[in-house]
Amino acid sequence: MSKPTLGNPQNTIEILQKYHFNFQKKFGQNFLIDTHVLEKIISAAGITKDDMVLEIGPGIGTMTQYLAEAAGKVAAVEIDKNLIPILEDTLSEYDNVMVINDDVLKVDIRGLVEKENGGRPVKVVANLPYYITTPIIMGLFEGNGPGNKDYGALSLAVQYYADPYIVANVPPNCFMPRPKVGSAVIRLTRHAAPPVKVDNEKWMFDIIRASFNQRRKTLANGLSNSDKIDLPKDVITEAIAKLGKGESVRGESLSLEEFAALSNDLWEKKGR
Ligand code: SAM
């Protein structure tokens, strides 16, 4: 076998039947069965033999085969122990893949990268399970264990840490079993430095979270009701007015730049 064999629906079905595999909904298992999508993912990641790739949730090893062909080394973390014997089979031709049977949110990724790649950056390529997309992405960016589940606005956090690019939209029929919603291939290229200047990152994310926790409320009410923010309403309203926004503005309509300005202003008011 010199080319990836999975990705072709027939081969995927054969493997699933051979091992009497039952999909586990709780693990967000929707396996890719479209070679074009797989090729797009590999090419968008620009993987070379100099790269080590971390794959989250290899499933039966479909994308892992493509990654093993392109990368120098692949570490794949899979939570479902029933998939481990299958991965041993589908990846038997590759000596540059290491499968780790664990919950990715519990793996010491920093330690793994240090040990396996001498601390040099790795590329993360994954068809993520929907139910933990946010903690996985935030954990990777923050680099200190699993991220908070409730970022309120994942898109704002993503913009703060990376340059996001939509590579392709992927319809449900590219997966087995078919999910109810469409998916997208997203490339996140980490910024060398954040695009906005923030006096206190944690404070800005506290503000973003407080703004989105109470979606139906105005931004001013959302922030003044928050124990974490703990500032008088007139101080908050004044800071919002400085952005050129009216009293009825909602958190959803603020950009990252506006949240950064608001956060710096309120941090000043807080007396640090
Ligand atoms: N990469 C495969 C593919 O594209 O066909 C499977 C993708 S499927 C959407 C998500 C995979 O992540 C499943 O194999 C699932 O068992 C695994 N998974 C779910 N939760 C996980 C966790 N906390 N840690 C590691 N793997 C997990």
Side-chain angles (χ1 to χ4, degrees):
M1 179 168 68
S2 61
K3 273 179 123 14
T5 51
L6 297 168
N8 169 325
Q10 208 45 51
N11 295 346
T12 294
I13 290 168
E14 249 169 51
I15 288 284
L16 295 175
Q17 286 177 344
K18 178 172 165 193
Y19 288 90
H20 307 287
F21 180 76
N22 289 317
F23 288 101
Q24 298 242 40
K25 222 176 163 178
K26 68 170 177 186
F27 288 145
Q29 291 175 341
N30 300 95
F31 297 164
L32 270 168
I33 46 161
D34 186 299
T35 52
H36 297 296
V37 172
L38 286 155
E39 281 157 14
K40 261 191 194 158
I41 294 172
I42 303 302
S43 120
I47 300 162
T48 72
K49 285 284 167 194
D50 287 335
D51 287 316
M52 170 172 162
V53 173
L54 169 66
E55 186 188 10
I56 296 165
I60 60 169
T62 308
M63 194 154 75
T64 326
Q65 293 187 337
Y66 285 77
L67 293 170
E69 295 277 341
K73 199 174 200 175
V74 181
V77 182
E78 174 56 60
I79 196 169
D80 186 351
K81 64 174 178 5
N82 295 329
L83 286 167
I84 305 305
I86 303 184
L87 287 165
E88 271 164 23
D89 178 354
T90 59
L91 302 173
S92 62
E93 301 273 322
Y94 299 99
D95 59 6
N96 58 344
V97 181
M98 138 195 207
V99 174
I100 301 164
N101 183 201
D102 207 342
D103 176 349
V104 71
L105 296 178
K106 295 192 180 138
V107 172
D108 170 12
I109 294 187
R110 200 177 277 261
L112 178 71
V113 171
E114 191 57 53
K115 182 161 174 261
E116 299 297 330
N117 208 35
R120 279 175 295 125
V122 297
K123 287 182 173 164
V124 180
V125 185
N127 168 15
L128 290 177
Y130 291 125
Y131 77 108
I132 44 168
T133 307
T134 301
I136 290 177
I137 293 179
M138 294 318 303
L140 289 170
F141 281 140
E142 295 185 330
N144 48 3
N148 194 313
K149 252 198 177 117
D150 180 20
Y151 258 81
L154 178 63
S155 71
L156 287 172
V158 160
Q159 287 170 56
Y160 182 71
Y161 289 107
D163 182 16
Y165 175 75
I166 298 181
V167 175
N169 287 306
V170 185
N173 63 6
C174 295
F175 299 92
M176 183 185 295
R178 285 184 194 201
K180 289 203 179 73
V181 292
S183 299
V185 178
I186 313 281
R187 183 176 59 209
L188 304 177
T189 312
R190 201 181 182 117
H191 294 305
V196 290
K197 202 191 148 310
V198 178
D199 295 336
N200 184 321
E201 269 179 25
K202 185 179 170 302
W203 173 251
M204 180 178 77
F205 283 112
D206 281 344
I207 288 180
I208 291 178
R209 215 170 299 138
S211 314
F212 280 78
N213 268 350
Q214 311 196 357
R215 256 172 209 273
R216 278 157 300 153
K217 293 216 164 92
T218 62
L219 177 60
N221 282 338
L223 293 182
S224 51
N225 287 339
S226 158
D227 294 343
K228 277 219 167 131
I229 308 303
D230 193 26
L231 279 168
K233 189 162 181 195
D234 58 325
V235 169
I236 291 170
T237 317
E238 193 185 316
I240 294 173
K242 268 201 221 162
L243 299 174
K245 303 280 179 185
E247 270 187 30
S248 59
V249 72
R250 285 167 199 278
E252 302 94 281
S253 64
L254 259 60
S255 65
L256 177 66
E257 287 71 21
E258 287 167 331
F259 269 116
L262 180 65
S263 148
N264 290 344
D265 193 1
L266 293 178
W267 185 241
E268 184 86 38
K269 299 277 172 9
K270 192 87 184 158
R272 293 152 200 246

